[in-house]
Amino acid sequence: MSWRVTLHCTRTEAEALPESEELFPFSDSPPVIVADEPDPHAPDDWRLFAYFTEQPTTRELILLRRLAAGSEPELTHLGEDDWVTISQAGLEPIRAGRFFIHTPTHRDDVPDGATAFEIDAGLAFGTGQHDTTAGCLRALETLAGRSFANIADIGTGTGLLAFAALSLWPQAKAIATDIDPISIDVSQDNAAINGVRIGHGPGELLLAVADGMDHPILTARAPFDLLIANILAGPLIDLAPAFAASVTPGATLILAGLLDTQADGVIAAYAEQGMEVVERGDGEWCVLVLKAAQRSVAASWQPLTEPGGGLSLPFQ
């Protein structure tokens, strides 16, 4: 049988989730914890679902309460169905241009001619269900006729946007980073599922845990001619100088994770860096496509040789 515990939380609490093994070190079968944003119109109202194979104990419920301040656990008996089937039942495939994003339960539903990626529901963000992720996929497709050689996906979540970029530009080098180590673990698993090669070379993806642009691998890989960042408006504004310094003159940036009401503030921050808006996007969650100045701050960036030797990489 299966049991589900539901807690209401903030996005900050959802992003701070520990791994189940860390939260329940005493358990031989720890629950699987999934974060969900039920209403895109309320970007800070999230839910946590913890799926147990057996009825959770009082001790386990107390530990879960610590993940979401002020929320009382809601316990639901799910019957005999497997928790994976239940947790993914509401996650319908997403079609964004040529891209078809699906969970394992829809593996046989891929349309002819689609570029499909299998992204399991789990602890990381960016499964394609949110408007920002789907919007980024559509923005990438609009750039398909152009050529990019060095791509960065900052705040990658599940790795999905980096995978999509490499499918469009298979000879490019790509790096995907996230501040959350769980996201990088999930991205590595998703890369294996979707046949994305991990490595330094053309057509390969590097993965690293990084806070913004603060990582030696990003320094070594810069400047980028395509930079994708699906995060939040505040961090996007804070990172504007660092992004501008890490891209080539005339580079393309795809920025998302912001409401339409926040777009003007983000645009202003990047205009100060000499960038112009190419596409603002529609809807409540807009996706900005920007072009870096032809003579940008990137001129002062000193690219390093490809990391190796004494630099230890988390994934090679």
Side-chain angles (χ1 to χ4, degrees), residues 31-97:
V32 173
I33 305 176
V34 179
D36 175 55
E37 180 188 18
D39 184 2
H41 300 286
D44 200 44
D45 294 337
W46 287 70
R47 293 180 301 184
L48 300 180
F49 298 110
Y51 292 89
F52 292 81
T53 56
E54 297 181 357
Q55 184 171 359
T57 65
T58 301
R59 180 185 182 187
E60 289 170 327
L61 292 175
I62 291 173
L63 289 173
L64 287 172
R65 283 187 61 184
R66 296 176 183 174
L67 301 179
S71 177
E72 288 298 325
E74 303 170 12
L75 183 62
T76 305
H77 181 205
L78 301 175
E80 299 300 326
D81 290 334
D82 182 79
W83 77 266
V84 173
T85 301
I86 295 168
S87 67
Q88 295 182 355
L91 294 181
E92 292 299 319
I94 296 296
R95 187 72 189 257

Side-chain angles (χ1 to χ4, degrees), residues 133-301:
T133 308
C136 287
L137 291 169
R138 286 189 287 269
L140 284 169
E141 181 160 34
T142 65
L143 301 172
R146 297 178 55 185
S147 177
F148 296 102
N150 195 17
I151 301 168
D153 178 12
I154 308 300
T156 192
T158 60
L160 172 59
L161 296 179
F163 302 165
L166 278 175
S167 74
L168 292 170
W169 301 285
Q171 296 306 311
K173 293 183 178 181
I175 182 169
T177 66
D178 202 287
I179 194 172
D180 182 5
I182 294 176
S183 289
I184 296 305
D185 290 341
V186 168
S187 296
Q188 187 181 35
D189 292 342
N190 286 337
I193 291 170
N194 290 283
V196 176
R197 302 195 310 274
I198 301 297
H200 296 277
E204 296 179 337
L205 177 67
L206 271 179
L207 294 168
V209 178
D211 185 356
M213 301 303 291
D214 186 17
H215 197 289
I217 298 179
L218 287 168
T219 303
R221 273 295 179 95
F224 303 100
D225 53 5
L226 175 61
L227 188 150
I228 310 159
N230 182 14
I231 42 180
L232 294 171
L236 285 174
I237 291 172
D238 293 340
L239 285 166
F243 282 175
S246 66
V247 297
T248 62
T252 297
L253 290 84
I254 298 176
L255 308 180
L258 59 144
L259 294 163
D260 184 64
T261 55
Q262 300 170 318
D264 288 343
V266 175
I267 290 170
Y270 285 82
E272 291 181 3
Q273 305 299 322
M275 299 189 188
E276 61 180 88
V277 178
V278 177
E279 179 65 45
R280 177 168 175 145
D282 300 319
E284 184 174 17
W285 292 92
C286 65
V287 176
L288 302 177
V289 179
L290 305 177
K291 181 180 179 181
Q294 290 298 330
R295 298 183 66 181
S296 71
V297 186
S300 64
W301 189 279

Side-chain angles (χ1 to χ4, degrees), residues 22-36:
E22 297 175 7
L23 189 62
F24 302 96
F26 53 85
S27 176
D28 293 332
S29 181
V32 173
I33 305 176
V34 179
D36 175 55

